[in-house]
Amino acid sequence: MLNRRVLLGSATAFALVLGLNAPAFADPDAALAALQETVLSKGPNGEEPTAPSAVVLTDEELAKIKEMGASAAIVMHYGGNDWSRAQINGLQTQFAAMGIEVIAVTDAGFKPEKQVSDLETIMAQAPDVIVSIPADPTATAAAYRAAAEAGAKLVFMDNVPAGFVAGEDFVSVVSADNYGNGVAAAHLMAKALGPDGGDIGLVYHAADFFVTRQRYDAFKATIASDYPEIKIVAEQGIGGPDFSGDAEKAAGAMLISNQSIDGIWAVWDVPAEGVIAAARAAGRDDLVITTVDLGENVAINMAQGGFIKGLGAQRPYDAGVVEAKLAGYALLGKEAPAFVALPALPVTKDNLLEAWTQVYSTEATDNIKSLMQ
């Protein structure tokens, strides 16, 4: 899918960075703790990560931004999950604190042609800033370039349009450590399966989407390098837009054709919901599922002691706050880092409530809390 280099190559490379000897991680718990102290991902064009704590606006700079009366639009690739809602919440909260009016929030439903139309409609309102995540980096590139040429400052989440260069065509890109979250999901799978390992299947995102490819590459590399007792016996890509339904079909087919499967990894929480449905339909109450992204439905399943044994979480609310601050950098003409990344957050039932607060900057829902009693 991508011609970019794989980030740090594998979990073994990460181990070498930390000065460990192969096998990279005999102990999943030690590996998971180490992940929270570093960022494995590089940016879409190989950029080194900058910590979010380095993105700062002084009181004087904030006052200048408030005087501008600037406007912003949030152009999402897909709005149907908790991650997207948390990003938007973080953006809106920080924009309000900066006196920037949010004039539009759009949802392309993962359809590039819809996102192009959204951009064209928004540009009629002449926003000063657009914060967005391309549904397809190639198909949407011309629309983003037209927006930039019309004067909009562009800040991206996770992915950037094809041919765009930070500092020239856009301000910055902000991301979770998606490679690190894929690594976390692999270690969590190994921990749940136990020392004997087992056979597993993968449900991945069959699209030219940088961050979901990072997760897939990282998961596979970590299993291959660290856990030879775990065998990947089936893989199936899904394209959406019905990611839950597509994943249910893919996982159902895996469970029929490979009855030895002990676990399935899903590329994010909505496909994981489909895998849960497939496991229930097949009567596989013993199936282990790990994924990336802490959505409410997978959190409820985890709280119940269900199929979801662990996941790597992003920090979307905090990412939204950083993106809004970077928009402020652009309005001020302040030099911005090309790529800002937030570390992975491994989540199990043991730290679910604490992790929810870290991810969403609010307490877990009543549904989740009641099941944790």
Side-chain angles (χ1 to χ4, degrees):
M1 166 186 135
L2 297 170
N3 58 10
R4 304 177 179 95
R5 60 196 176 96
V6 174
L7 311 173
L8 292 189
S10 68
T12 300
F14 178 40
L16 293 174
V17 170
L18 296 181
L20 303 176
N21 296 319
F25 295 118
D27 179 0
D29 287 323
L32 291 165
L35 273 175
Q36 298 179 72
E37 303 299 325
T38 190
V39 170
L40 300 186
S41 294
K42 294 187 186 294
N45 295 305
E47 301 94 341
E48 292 293 332
T50 294
S53 59
V55 180
V56 177
L57 292 168
T58 67
D59 290 343
E60 182 181 356
E61 288 170 333
L62 286 169
K64 288 180 180 179
I65 294 169
K66 289 178 181 178
E67 291 173 359
M68 294 179 184
S71 63
I74 303 170
V75 182
M76 301 301 295
H77 63 329
Y78 173 69
N81 62 3
D82 293 312
W83 179 91
S84 293
R85 286 186 283 272
Q87 282 264 355
I88 293 166
N89 189 15
L91 281 161
Q92 290 178 324
T93 300
Q94 185 60 32
F95 277 141
M98 297 162 66
I100 297 175
E101 181 187 4
V102 177
I103 58 174
V105 179
T106 63
D107 175 3
F110 247 125
K111 297 178 180 178
E113 63 277 12
K114 172 66 164 58
Q115 191 166 50
V116 168
S117 176
D118 290 341
L119 284 163
E120 291 171 346
T121 300
I122 283 168
M123 287 311 298
Q125 302 179 65
D128 298 292
V129 173
I130 293 176
V131 182
S132 185
I133 174 170
D136 182 293
T138 301
T140 59
Y144 283 111
R145 192 165 296 282
E149 290 174 351
K153 308 294 186 183
L154 305 179
V155 177
F156 289 109
M157 312 169 186
D158 288 349
N159 207 4
V160 301
F164 275 48
V165 177
E168 297 178 14
D169 304 304
F170 67 98
V171 179
S172 182
V173 59
V174 179
S175 181
D177 184 3
N178 282 284
Y179 197 92
N181 275 322
V183 171
H187 290 310
L188 290 163
M189 176 67 75
K191 182 178 179 179
L193 291 177
D196 294 334
D199 293 344
I200 63 172
L202 312 183
V203 177
Y204 64 91
H205 186 201
D208 183 12
F209 206 67
F210 180 59
V211 296
T212 53
R213 182 69 187 196
Q214 286 181 298
R215 301 172 186 182
Y216 170 72
D217 287 343
F219 186 94
K220 290 189 70 174
T222 305
I223 294 297
S225 65
D226 295 3
Y227 301 108
E229 67 278 12
I230 299 176
K231 306 297 182 185
I232 297 172
V233 298
E235 300 185 40
Q236 180 63 53
I238 56 173
D242 182 9
F243 290 102
S244 179
D246 290 353
E248 181 177 357
K249 293 174 185 175
M254 287 182 190
L255 293 170
I256 291 172
S257 59
N258 297 275
Q259 296 187 12
S260 65
I261 282 182
D262 301 295
I264 294 178
W265 171 79
V267 64
W268 74 85
D269 61 314
V270 175
E273 294 172 21
V275 178
I276 291 171
R280 285 175 175 153
R284 286 295 311 274
D285 294 341
D286 59 335
L287 189 73
V288 172
I289 301 173
T290 67
T291 187
V292 176
D293 290 344
L294 182 61
E296 183 172 13
N297 290 336
V298 294
I300 287 171
N301 186 267
M302 182 183 288
Q304 291 172 322
F307 300 97
I308 304 293
K309 301 304 182 184
L311 57 87
Q314 301 186 68
R315 304 169 194 260
Y317 181 91
D318 289 344
V321 170
V322 174
E323 289 151 9
K325 289 180 179 179
L326 287 165
Y329 273 47
L331 293 171
L332 294 167
K334 183 176 178 178
E335 184 177 358
F339 174 61
V340 180
L342 295 84
L345 176 60
V347 182
T348 65
K349 186 176 180 180
D350 290 341
N351 71 328
L352 175 56
L353 296 182
E354 177 187 351
W356 188 275
T357 300
Q358 290 179 261
V359 170
Y360 294 109
S361 193
T362 186
E363 288 188 1
T365 65
D366 290 341
N367 282 340
I368 297 169
K369 289 192 288 187
S370 67
L371 293 167
M372 291 290 288
Q373 301 301 321

